[in-house]
């Protein structure tokens, strides 16, 4: 009966827990030709569950291809995120799968095929039917991560080695090394209680200024348990956790918060239970008189943990295996994730993948939260050889100025100012793009990459279609042969057969020797140069001609020599 009462109180408490950092998803229609990185292939292997993070890194960092992260805002645990209705790729996708839109498929294809064929990542596509998916965010950046030097090798072994996210994406360091340029501190088993006061203050400033923290094993209660023995940093608890030596361990099976299924941190299929079964601290329990903050989500917990069930029973308290939220419930501070284990790798392969995905998902989320946020504008259509303005604005308060802005194009052409430094508000940059000369419709991607003073990099890639000039021009005088002094009623027809406006159109006509222009043309030409060789040039400056637009130029001339009609 005591166990049932504690479990019931836990369920009631879950109704009060706030979910953190759940972005409003956007429903996006993906046209045929998209590719999907399937994250719902269960049971997981390292290839299907962790190597996709290395692929996403490769696409984002090395190819600058944006990757759409699909998370349904209404799904339950292991529920469907989106469905492809028919054709290649038909089926339902789960687990927070990734999508590469058709516009970027050409740039991504070599990389996708490499990871699919060599690393056995489950890549599906190109799709042959359009489909819609709820997109949490477009992934375009990775965070500046620091792995704690005491036991950072534990998270290297559990996540980085299997995912093949490269070492260049993080560094090894200590809390005293943290600066404003660091985004995520990963601290497996560590001893914060032994830190010098100066180290504690650097660490606190890091969290207070928005730095994120992933912590495991007894590093968690060493931070959150009370002074004087511990640090009393109540990031996710109200007033402290029980120290690691003063409570029992947890035992599977564990309970999963159904509402947290929509949170990016919890994007995995199946359970992680046995992967969190080693180390000096495997579960986190609020101390007497304390509880989890209302802003903290306890995503996985042991409903029958001995210190909760008692005696004495502690109704309303959760023995957390995975918990997350903003430090102290303050969104201006760092985001915190606790995962109760020493190695997060003590289960079977599928369970270990689930546990490592919690960290991998946090890496993606931290990259979203710390990147410079960009808004860019480029013309969606351009004519061969034409020029048009492009610009980017950097959201105030994101990244660290000054910013280096670089423009590039997948199809050639040129930028008036391809590299710019932006140092002061409103943090905007603009330049002119001149499209390449093309003879066929040419798809193109214009990219703007922004790197802040800390090396954080974000980019926007936007599709542009380059069209060849599609103007038809016909001239006739309705005569096959003429006589001297005969009138020639010339008609010049021109038509814009292309899909976009032809800008600054100029029509030039040359009257040959033996033909005299009569200055009654309609519309009147802009200029009529009389050439030294006896020919006459007529020039009309017509401005812009819209798609499908056509016009007629009328002019008269007389024959002053016997000649064949021009």
């Amino acid at each position: 009966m005591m166990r049932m009462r504690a479990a019931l109180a836990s369920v009631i408490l879950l109704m009060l827990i706030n979910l953190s950092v759940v972005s409003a998803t956007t429903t996006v229609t993906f046209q045929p030709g998209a590719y999907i990185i399937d994250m719902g292939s269960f049971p997981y292997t390292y290839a299907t569950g962790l190597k996709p993070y290395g692929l996403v890194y490769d696409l984002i960092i090395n190819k600058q291809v944006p990757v759409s992260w699909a998370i349904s805002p209404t799904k339950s645990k292991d529920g469907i995120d989106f469905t492809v209705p028919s054709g290649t790729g038909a089926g339902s996708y789960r687990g927070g799968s990734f999508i590469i839109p058709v516009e970027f498929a050409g740039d991504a294809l070599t990389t996708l095929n490499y990871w699919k064929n060599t690393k056995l990542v489950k890549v599906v596509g190109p799709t042959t039917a359009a489909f819609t998916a709820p997109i949490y965010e477009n992934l375009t950046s990775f965070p500046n991560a620091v792995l704690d030097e005491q036991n950072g090798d534990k998270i290297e072994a559990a996540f980085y080695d299997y995912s093949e996210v490269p070492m260049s994406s993080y560094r090894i360091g200590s809390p005293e090394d943290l600066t404003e340029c660091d985004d995520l501190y990963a601290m497996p088993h560590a001893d914060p209680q032994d830190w010098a006061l100066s180290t504690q203050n650097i660490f606190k400033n890091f969290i207070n200024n928005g730095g994120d923290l992933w912590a495991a094993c007894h590093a968690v209660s060493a931070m959150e348990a009370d002074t004087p023995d511990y640090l009393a940093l109540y990031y996710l608890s109200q007033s402290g956790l029980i120290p690691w030596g003063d409570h029992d361990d947890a035992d599977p099976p564990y309970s999963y918060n159904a509402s947290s299924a929509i949170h990016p941190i919890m994007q995995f299929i199946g359970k992680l239970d046995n992967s969190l079964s080693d180390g000096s601290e495997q579960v986190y329990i609020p101390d007497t008189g304390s509880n989890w903050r209302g802003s903290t989500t306890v995503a996985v917990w042991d409903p029958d943990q001995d210190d909760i069930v008692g005696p004495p029973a502690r109704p309303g308290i959760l023995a957390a295996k995975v918990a997350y939220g903003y430090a102290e419930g303050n969104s201006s501070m760092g985001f915190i994730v606790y995962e109760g284990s020493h190695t997060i790798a003590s289960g079977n392969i599928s369970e270990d993948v689930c546990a490592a995905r919690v960290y991998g998902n946090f890496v993606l989320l931290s990259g979203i939260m710390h990147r410079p946020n960009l808004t860019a504008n480029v013309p969606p259509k351009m004519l061969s050889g034409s020029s048009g303005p492009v610009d980017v604005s950097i959201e105030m308060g994101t990244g660290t100025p000054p910013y280096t802005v670089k423009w590039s194009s997948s199809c050639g052409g040129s930028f008036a100012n391809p590299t710019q430094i932006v140092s002061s508000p409103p943090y905007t940059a603009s330049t002119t793009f001149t499209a390449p000369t093309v003879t066929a419709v040419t798809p193109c991607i214009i990219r703007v990459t922004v790197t802040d003073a800390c090396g954080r990099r974000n980019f926007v890639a936007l599709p542009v279609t380059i069209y060849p000039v599609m103007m038809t021009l016909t001239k006739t005088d309705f005569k096959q042969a003429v006589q001297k002094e005969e009138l020639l009623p010339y008609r010049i027809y021109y038509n814009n057969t292309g899909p976009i406006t032809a800008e600054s159109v100029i029509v030039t006509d040359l009257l040959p020797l033996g033909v005299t222009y009569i200055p009654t043309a309609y519309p009147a030409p802009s200029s009529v140069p009389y050439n030294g060789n006896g020919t006459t040039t007529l020039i009309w400056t017509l401005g812009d001609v819209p798609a499908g637009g056509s016009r007629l130029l009328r002019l008269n001339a007389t024959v002053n020599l016997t000649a064949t009609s021009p």
Side-chain angles (χ1 to χ4, degrees):
M1 176 66 77
M2 195 71 71
R3 287 173 179 260
M4 291 179 62
R5 186 168 68 246
L8 178 60
S10 297
V11 172
I12 293 172
L13 176 65
L14 283 175
M15 297 179 183
L16 303 177
I17 292 176
N18 295 324
L19 297 178
S20 306
V21 198
V22 177
S23 172
T25 58
T26 302
T27 300
V28 176
T29 298
F30 292 88
Q31 298 301 323
Y35 285 83
I36 300 166
I37 305 171
D38 184 2
M39 299 302 292
S41 182
F42 184 82
Y44 285 125
T45 65
Y46 296 122
T48 61
L50 293 184
K51 290 207 185 323
Y53 293 89
L55 169 53
V56 169
Y57 180 93
D58 199 357
L59 289 170
I60 290 172
I61 302 301
N62 299 325
K63 297 296 185 180
Q64 291 193 304
V65 169
V67 177
S68 298
W69 195 3
I71 302 175
S72 169
T74 60
K75 71 177 178 179
S76 58
K77 177 76 173 83
D78 297 344
I80 296 171
D81 289 308
F82 66 94
T83 298
V84 177
S86 62
T88 301
S92 296
Y93 293 84
R94 310 165 190 261
S97 294
F98 307 110
I99 305 171
I100 294 86
V102 62
E103 293 85 352
F104 306 103
D107 289 346
L109 187 56
T110 299
T111 302
L112 291 171
N113 284 337
Y114 170 77
W115 285 84
K116 177 181 179 179
N117 298 326
T118 305
K119 307 296 183 179
L120 305 183
V121 174
K122 190 172 182 181
V123 177
V124 179
T127 57
T128 53
F131 64 94
T132 60
I135 301 305
Y136 174 77
E137 272 287 356
N138 288 321
L139 301 173
T140 54
S141 184
F142 266 64
N144 293 337
V146 181
L147 309 190
D148 182 73
E149 68 177 0
Q150 186 174 345
N151 278 286
D153 60 335
K154 300 296 186 294
I155 197 64
E156 280 184 309
F159 174 74
Y160 287 99
D161 290 350
Y162 289 118
S163 70
E164 299 190 46
V165 173
M167 294 178 64
S168 57
S169 71
Y170 63 88
R171 65 180 178 87
I172 304 296
S174 299
E176 60 264 28
D177 300 330
L178 294 171
T179 72
E180 67 172 348
C181 287
D182 297 312
D183 302 323
L184 170 62
Y185 192 61
M187 186 168 61
H189 179 104
D191 293 292
Q193 75 279 5
D194 295 334
W195 291 347
L197 181 61
S198 59
T199 299
Q200 294 181 37
N201 289 334
I202 292 171
F203 179 78
K204 291 176 185 177
N205 287 336
F206 171 73
I207 302 296
N208 291 343
N209 292 324
D212 299 329
L213 172 68
W214 178 89
C217 205
H218 76 235
V220 172
S221 64
M223 289 188 298
E224 294 234 9
D226 286 334
T227 56
D229 295 327
Y230 307 102
L231 303 189
L233 300 175
Y234 307 144
Y235 289 143
L236 296 188
S237 70
Q238 292 176 353
S239 56
L241 300 178
I242 299 175
W244 72 89
D246 296 341
H247 63 74
D248 291 332
D249 289 333
D251 294 300
Y254 301 138
S255 296
Y256 289 72
N257 184 340
S259 298
S260 67
I262 67 174
H263 195 281
I265 292 294
M266 295 297 288
Q267 296 311 299
F268 58 84
I269 299 295
K271 296 186 176 183
L272 45 65
D273 290 19
N274 291 300
S275 64
L276 306 184
S277 295
D278 67 344
S280 55
E281 187 163 41
Q282 303 170 21
V283 66
Y284 308 118
I285 306 169
D287 208 344
T288 302
S290 179
N291 205 334
W292 298 105
R293 291 178 180 271
S295 56
T296 297
T297 295
V298 177
V300 183
W301 74 96
D302 180 359
D304 297 320
Q305 201 275 339
D306 289 343
D307 295 84
I308 300 300
V309 174
R314 300 187 65 196
I317 304 297
L318 294 182
K321 295 292 292 183
V322 177
Y324 55 82
Y326 280 110
E328 300 179 11
N330 185 344
S331 60
S332 66
M333 298 175 68
F335 196 78
I336 311 292
V337 176
Y338 295 155
E339 199 165 2
S341 172
H342 184 67
T343 64
I344 64 168
S346 56
N348 61 41
I349 289 176
S350 190
E351 289 174 312
D352 291 352
V353 167
C354 291
R357 283 201 65 186
V358 170
Y359 177 78
N361 293 336
F362 191 20
V363 169
L364 299 182
L365 180 61
S366 185
I368 292 168
M369 293 192 292
H370 291 279
R371 65 191 178 188
N373 290 332
L374 313 177
T375 302
N377 297 290
V378 304
K381 301 175 182 179
M382 296 183 71
L383 277 178
S384 172
S386 68
S387 298
V390 294
D391 65 79
V392 64
S393 61
I394 305 162
E395 182 181 332
M396 294 278 290
T398 64
T400 303
Y403 305 95
T404 301
V405 177
K406 292 187 176 182
W407 296 91
S408 63
S409 160
S410 66
C411 62
S414 63
F415 295 89
N417 297 294
T419 302
Q420 298 161 284
I421 304 298
V422 180
S423 302
S424 57
Y427 301 123
T428 61
S430 61
T431 188
T432 299
F433 174 63
T434 299
T437 300
V438 300
T439 57
V441 176
T442 303
C444 186
I445 301 293
I446 291 180
R447 288 178 172 84
V448 56
T449 303
V450 174
T451 306
D452 77 354
C454 293
R456 301 183 189 95
R457 193 173 77 171
N458 194 10
F459 67 91
V460 176
L462 295 173
V464 180
T465 304
I466 312 298
Y467 292 91
V469 176
M470 297 181 179
M471 296 288 293
T472 61
L473 193 66
T474 304
K475 178 183 178 183
T476 182
D477 63 1
F478 305 104
K479 296 178 183 290
Q480 294 300 317
V482 294
Q483 300 297 319
K484 185 176 181 180
E485 298 183 357
E486 186 172 353
L487 180 69
L488 297 176
Y490 288 120
R491 301 295 181 263
I492 300 174
Y493 300 89
Y494 66 91
N495 182 33
N496 180 4
T497 60
I500 60 175
T501 297
E503 300 176 351
S504 305
V505 173
I506 297 175
V507 173
T508 301
D509 184 47
L510 180 68
L511 295 181
L513 178 69
V515 175
T516 301
Y517 168 62
I518 302 174
T520 57
Y522 182 82
S526 305
S527 61
V528 184
Y530 292 94
N531 307 314
N533 62 359
T535 63
T536 305
T537 303
L538 289 85
I539 301 171
W540 287 267
T541 303
L542 302 174
D544 298 344
V545 180
S550 60
R551 295 188 186 179
L552 170 63
L553 305 178
R554 302 170 184 268
L555 69 140
N556 295 320
T558 57
V559 179
N560 53 43
L561 294 173
T562 301
T564 302
S565 175

